[in-house]
Amino acid sequence: EVETKESGGGSVQSGGSLRLSCSASEPTYHAYCFAWFRAVSGNEREGVAIIDYSVLNGRKIYADSVKGRFTISHVGSDDARNTVYLQMNNLKPEDSAIYYCAAAPCGWAPATFGDFPSGGQGTQVTVSS
C-alpha cells in the first residue's frame, strides 16, 4: 500500500498563495491516482482535487469551490521524488482546513473522491481575512 505524507501548510492572508506537497512512499508510475481532501475540525472531509490516470492521458478534477484557484500536479511518478502538489492561489478564509492527500490504485472506471482512503496526518492551512 502506498503511504502519503503532506507538508507545506501555513498561515496566509486572504488572496495569498500556498503550495502543498504530498510525498508518496514509493514510485507509483501511473498505477495510482491521487487526491487532495480537506476537513474542518469535526466535519466530514471534502474532496478538493484528483489526478486520475484511469483515463487515457490522465485528467484533473476539481471541486467547484476551488476551480480556477487550485492546481494539482504530479512529478517524479517513476522515481523516489514521487510528489503530488496542490498549488493554491487567491486563498479565502473558507479554505482554512486541514488538508490531506491520499493514493488509490487507478481502476478501470474514472476515479471519484469516494475511491480514496483517509490519507496521511494532514497539514494545516489557515487563511485570515
Side-chain angles (χ1 to χ4, degrees):
E1 182 178 332
V2 174
E3 296 181 353
T4 54
K5 183 176 181 181
E6 307 88 349
S7 62
S11 297
V12 296
Q13 290 193 324
S14 184
S17 298
L18 281 173
R19 188 177 77 162
L20 305 183
S21 299
C22 169
S23 299
S25 57
E26 59 189 77
T28 56
Y29 305 90
H30 287 180
Y32 275 75
C33 299
F34 290 85
W36 282 98
F37 296 86
R38 63 188 182 188
V40 177
S41 178
N43 290 351
E44 205 169 305
R45 72 178 189 176
E46 173 193 10
V48 174
I50 293 174
I51 190 160
D52 178 9
Y53 296 114
S54 69
V55 297
L56 186 64
N57 297 323
R59 64 172 185 156
K60 298 174 182 178
I61 305 165
Y62 298 96
D64 288 343
S65 58
V66 306
K67 277 181 185 175
R69 300 187 298 121
F70 289 13
T71 303
I72 189 171
S73 61
H74 188 189
V75 299
S77 63
D78 57 350
D79 59 42
R81 298 175 299 151
N82 197 2
T83 301
V84 177
Y85 295 102
L86 185 68
Q87 177 67 43
M88 306 186 296
N89 297 328
N90 191 21
L91 282 161
K92 304 175 181 181
E94 52 264 41
D95 294 318
S96 297
I98 299 175
Y99 282 72
Y100 303 88
C101 172
C106 298
W108 294 105
T112 66
F113 287 114
D115 296 331
F116 294 87
S118 56
Q121 298 214 346
T123 185
Q124 177 72 52
V125 171
T126 302
V127 185
S128 58
S129 57

